[in-house]
Coordinates of all heavy atoms in Angstrom, one line a residue:
F33 N 111.1 99.2 128.3 CA 111.3 98.6 129.7 C 109.9 98.6 130.4 O 109.1 99.5 130.2 CB 112.2 99.5 130.5 CG 113.2 98.8 131.4 CD1 114.3 99.5 132.0 CD2 113.0 97.5 131.7 CE1 115.1 98.9 132.8 CE2 114.0 96.9 132.6 CZ 115.0 97.6 133.2
H35 N 108.3 98.1 134.1 CA 108.3 97.8 135.6 C 106.8 97.7 136.0 O 106.1 98.6 136.0 CB 109.0 99.0 136.3 CG 110.5 98.8 136.4 ND1 111.3 99.0 135.2 CD2 111.4 98.5 137.3 CE1 112.6 98.9 135.5 NE2 112.7 98.6 136.8
E56 N 108.9 102.0 143.3 CA 109.2 100.6 143.5 C 110.0 100.6 144.8 O 110.4 99.5 145.4 CB 109.9 100.0 142.3 CG 111.3 100.5 142.0 CD 111.4 101.8 141.2 OE1 110.3 102.4 141.1 OE2 112.5 102.2 140.9
F57 N 110.4 101.8 145.4 CA 111.1 101.8 146.6 C 110.3 102.2 147.8 O 110.8 102.4 148.9 CB 112.4 102.7 146.5 CG 113.6 102.2 145.9 CD1 113.8 102.1 144.5 CD2 114.5 101.6 146.7 CE1 114.9 101.5 144.0 CE2 115.7 101.0 146.1 CZ 115.8 100.9 144.7
H104 N 111.3 92.1 140.9 CA 112.0 93.2 141.3 C 112.5 93.1 142.7 O 112.4 92.0 143.2 CB 111.1 94.5 141.1 CG 111.9 95.8 140.9 ND1 112.2 96.6 142.0 CD2 112.6 96.3 139.8 CE1 113.0 97.6 141.5 NE2 113.2 97.5 140.4
H105 N 113.0 94.2 143.3 CA 113.7 94.1 144.6 C 112.7 93.6 145.7 O 113.2 93.0 146.6 CB 114.2 95.5 145.1 CG 115.1 96.2 144.2 ND1 115.8 95.5 143.1 CD2 115.4 97.5 144.0 CE1 116.5 96.4 142.4 NE2 116.4 97.6 143.0
Y147 N 113.9 90.9 133.2 CA 114.6 91.6 134.3 C 114.5 90.7 135.5 O 113.4 90.2 135.9 CB 113.9 93.0 134.5 CG 114.3 93.8 135.8 CD1 115.1 94.9 135.7 CD2 114.0 93.2 137.0 CE1 115.4 95.5 136.9 CE2 114.3 93.9 138.2 CZ 115.1 95.0 138.1 OH 115.4 95.7 139.2
W196 N 118.2 90.6 132.0 CA 118.6 92.0 132.4 C 118.7 91.9 134.0 O 117.7 91.9 134.7 CB 117.6 93.0 132.0 CG 118.1 94.4 131.8 CD1 118.4 95.0 130.5 CD2 118.3 95.4 132.8 NE1 118.8 96.3 130.8 CE2 118.8 96.6 132.1 CE3 118.3 95.4 134.2 CZ2 119.1 97.8 132.8 CZ3 118.5 96.6 134.9 CH2 119.0 97.7 134.1
D198 N 119.8 93.1 137.8 CA 119.8 94.4 138.6 C 120.0 93.9 140.0 O 119.9 92.8 140.5 CB 118.5 95.1 138.4 CG 118.6 96.5 138.8 OD1 119.7 97.1 139.1 OD2 117.5 97.2 139.0
W201 N 124.7 95.4 143.3 CA 125.8 96.3 143.7 C 126.2 96.0 145.2 O 127.1 96.6 145.7 CB 125.3 97.8 143.6 CG 123.8 98.0 144.1 CD1 123.4 98.0 145.4 CD2 122.8 98.1 143.3 NE1 122.1 98.1 145.4 CE2 121.6 98.1 144.1 CE3 122.5 98.1 141.9 CZ2 120.3 98.4 143.7 CZ3 121.2 98.2 141.4 CH2 120.1 98.4 142.3
R231 N 125.5 94.2 134.0 CA 125.2 94.5 135.5 C 125.1 93.1 136.3 O 125.1 93.1 137.6 CB 123.9 95.2 135.6 CG 123.8 96.1 136.9 CD 122.5 96.9 136.9 NE 122.6 98.1 136.1 CZ 121.6 99.0 136.1 NH1 120.6 98.9 136.9 NH2 121.8 100.0 135.3
H241 N 130.8 95.0 136.2 CA 130.6 95.4 134.7 C 131.9 95.1 133.9 O 131.8 94.3 132.9 CB 130.4 97.0 134.6 CG 129.0 97.3 135.1 ND1 127.8 97.1 134.4 CD2 128.8 98.0 136.3 CE1 126.9 97.6 135.1 NE2 127.4 98.2 136.3
G255 N 125.6 100.1 132.3 CA 125.8 101.0 133.4 C 125.2 102.4 133.3 O 125.2 103.3 134.2
E257 N 122.4 104.5 133.5 CA 121.1 104.3 134.1 C 120.6 105.8 134.3 O 121.2 106.6 135.1 CB 121.2 103.6 135.5 CG 119.9 103.2 136.0 CD 119.4 104.1 137.1 OE1 120.2 104.8 137.6 OE2 118.2 104.1 137.4
R258 N 119.5 106.2 133.7 CA 119.0 107.5 133.7 C 120.0 108.5 133.3 O 120.0 109.7 133.7 CB 118.3 107.9 135.0 CG 117.0 107.0 135.3 CD 116.4 107.4 136.5 NE 117.1 107.1 137.8 CZ 117.4 107.9 138.7 NH1 116.9 109.1 138.6 NH2 118.1 107.6 139.7
C276 N 119.3 102.9 130.1 CA 117.8 102.8 130.4 C 117.4 104.1 131.0 O 118.1 104.7 131.8 CB 117.5 101.6 131.4 SG 118.5 101.6 132.8
W284 N 110.5 104.1 138.4 CA 110.4 103.1 137.4 C 109.0 102.5 137.5 O 108.3 102.2 136.4 CB 111.5 102.0 137.6 CG 112.9 102.7 137.4 CD1 113.6 103.3 138.3 CD2 113.7 102.7 136.3 NE1 114.7 103.7 137.8 CE2 114.9 103.4 136.6 CE3 113.5 102.2 135.0 CZ2 115.8 103.6 135.6 CZ3 114.5 102.4 134.0 CH2 115.7 103.1 134.3
Ligands
JFZ1 C1 117.7 99.9 139.6 C2 116.5 99.7 140.4 O1 116.8 99.9 141.8 C3 115.4 100.5 139.9 O2 114.3 100.2 140.7 C4 115.1 100.1 138.5 O3 114.7 98.8 138.4 C5 116.4 100.3 137.6 C6 116.3 99.9 136.3 O4 117.6 99.7 138.3 O5 118.2 101.3 140.0 C7 119.5 101.6 139.7 C8 120.4 100.7 139.0 C9 121.7 101.1 138.8 C10 122.1 102.4 139.1 C11 121.3 103.2 139.8 C12 119.9 102.8 140.1 N1 123.3 102.7 138.8 O6 124.1 102.0 138.0 O7 123.8 103.8 139.1

Side-chain angles (χ1 to χ4, degrees):
F33 214 168
H35 277 71
E56 71 281 7
F57 275 84
H104 203 265
H105 305 340
Y147 168 109
W196 205 103
D198 196 16
W201 43 75
R231 204 177 286 188
H241 293 283
E257 193 263 341
R258 291 183 295 128
C276 53
W284 298 83

